[in-house]
Amino acid sequence: MAYVSSDEHVENGGARRVLLAGPRSFCAGVERAIEIVEEALESRGAPVYVRKEIVHNVSVVGDLAGRGAVFVDELDQVPDGATVVFSAHGVSPAVREEADRRALDVIDGTCPLVAKVHAKARRFAGRGDTVVLVGHAGHEEVEGTLGEAPESTVLVETVEDVRNLSPADARQISYLTQTTLSVDETAEVVGALRERFPLLHEPASEDICYATTNRQKALNAIIGESDLALVVGSTNSSNSVRLVELSRRQGTPAHLIDSAADIRPEWLEGVRTIALTAGASAPHHLVTEVVTALGEFGPVSVEEREITRETVRFELPSALRGDTDPSADGSTS
């Protein structure tokens, strides 16, 4: 499709190209988390409390808040007996215990892929391992995973952190990763772990989620022919920030934007081709609005570049399905 305006800003005539990376925007875990809050509002009625942001996107949070969701930092802000949703990033056992003690009506929005990392942390620690968690300090997902086995888990962010590790037994060490990391940078850290600890126990499958990996691969496929990358996402969205970093590492200027209103005209000066993508927690409509906004700076042509089609879907938790079978809370295709 092509969007045309009368603005003659584009140098040398013709349309500025916009390459749409695909996949982009919502992943299955984000869609599930949002639907959980929507269903809770429908079945329980407002207010429904949500611990932390349900997903890291200001547009999504603002929309749900306008419909009756109340976002809180901690459970002490939730009235006794009220309905509370745990965010997609997961929580520690200590948070669950507090919710049980306060008789809160809990609906768990934890992404099933994050829940799998939590299960691995418990299993690895249970067999006596020092569990090395590769991730970003302070991120909600990391805090939840650390809480699964706090006495056995150590956080590393860089190769230098790996060099400074001093586990009790180098023969009993395993690793996990945050689900929203840079694939390339994580490979460097894991490589350092393998080199330093030859007996390192590795997870049977990668913890970086399919959506994070796919969005990085999709952007990587178009960044070489682009003069600028625009990533739709919020500043606290780890996977969105990683996309900006990926572009900049390859020498292509990149900007993280919450919406079309954030675009600055000076970014587009001399730019003929724009790579456009969105983090896994950014709504699809925001990308469409960015394309429309770019058309106001001169004629643009839009080209879809999809590297794969995502078919993963996650069931709603049993608390919203009216059944008691927790085994059905996994993925379907």
Side-chain angles (χ1 to χ4, degrees), residues 205-227:
S205 59
E206 287 190 359
D207 296 322
I208 297 178
C209 80
Y210 77 94
T212 296
T213 300
N214 284 346
R215 278 148 192 75
Q216 290 178 25
K217 287 181 177 179
L219 180 58
N220 199 51
I222 60 176
I223 203 63
E225 55 186 297
S226 303
D227 305 307

Side-chain angles (χ1 to χ4, degrees), residues 23-145:
R24 61 184 176 276
S25 296
F26 283 171
C27 65
V30 165
E31 289 178 336
R32 175 181 183 268
I34 295 170
E35 187 177 357
I36 284 172
V37 178
E38 292 173 336
E39 289 290 331
L41 287 167
E42 178 69 22
S43 61
R44 270 66 164 181
V48 166
Y49 293 85
V50 183
R51 183 184 181 275
K52 308 295 187 181
E53 293 186 353
I54 185 66
V55 298
H56 286 157
N57 185 267
V58 296
S59 176
V60 170
V61 170
D63 176 66
L64 292 173
R67 295 155 68 178
V70 179
F71 294 90
V72 299
D73 287 327
E74 297 299 344
L75 294 185
D76 59 10
Q77 299 169 266
V78 180
D80 289 345
T83 297
V84 62
V85 177
F86 292 154
S87 81
H89 311 102
V91 299
S92 69
V95 173
R96 297 182 186 279
E97 291 166 7
E98 181 184 352
D100 288 343
R101 187 171 62 251
R102 304 250 333 273
L104 299 177
D105 174 23
V106 173
I107 304 174
D108 193 355
T110 303
C111 174
L113 300 182
V114 173
K116 286 182 179 180
V117 176
H118 285 200
K120 290 179 187 178
R122 294 191 298 270
R123 186 168 70 253
F124 292 172
R127 69 189 183 195
D129 288 6
T130 294
V131 183
V132 178
L133 175 60
V134 184
H136 295 293
H139 190 278
E140 288 153 34
E141 180 187 330
V142 166
E143 291 178 348
T145 305

Side-chain angles (χ1 to χ4, degrees), residues 175-325:
Y175 79 89
L176 298 169
T177 76
Q178 183 179 334
T179 63
T180 54
L181 299 178
S182 161
V183 173
D184 292 340
E185 291 185 351
T186 302
E188 293 177 6
V189 176
V190 171
L193 281 169
R194 289 171 179 150
E195 182 177 351
R196 178 143 186 237
F197 304 104
L199 299 179
L200 179 71
H201 300 150
E202 306 205 20
S205 59
E206 287 190 359
D207 296 322
I208 297 178
C209 80
Y210 77 94
T212 296
T213 300
N214 284 346
R215 278 148 192 75
Q216 290 178 25
K217 287 181 177 179
L219 180 58
N220 199 51
I222 60 176
I223 203 63
E225 55 186 297
S226 303
D227 305 307
L228 171 71
L230 295 178
V231 178
V232 181
S234 295
T235 55
N236 60 343
S237 167
S238 176
N239 78 91
S240 299
V241 172
R242 303 291 83 77
L243 292 169
V244 172
E245 293 173 348
L246 182 154
S247 179
R248 290 175 177 172
R249 281 200 307 272
Q250 299 198 30
T252 300
H255 300 285
L256 183 65
I257 56 175
D258 266 312
S259 69
D262 294 333
I263 299 172
R264 299 181 184 177
E266 58 267 27
W267 294 347
L268 307 180
E269 293 178 5
V271 169
R272 299 294 302 168
T273 302
I274 300 171
L276 177 58
T277 188
S281 51
H284 298 275
H285 72 84
L286 295 180
V287 176
T288 301
E289 292 169 7
V290 168
V291 172
T292 301
L294 289 172
E296 297 174 2
F297 295 97
V300 297
S301 63
V302 181
E303 185 178 339
E304 180 83 30
R305 294 287 189 88
E306 186 177 62
I307 63 164
T308 189
R309 185 69 56 88
E310 293 177 346
T311 59
V312 176
R313 296 291 181 270
F314 293 128
E315 297 282 354
L316 292 177
S318 56
L320 290 175
R321 294 198 312 270
D323 61 49
T324 57
D325 178 14

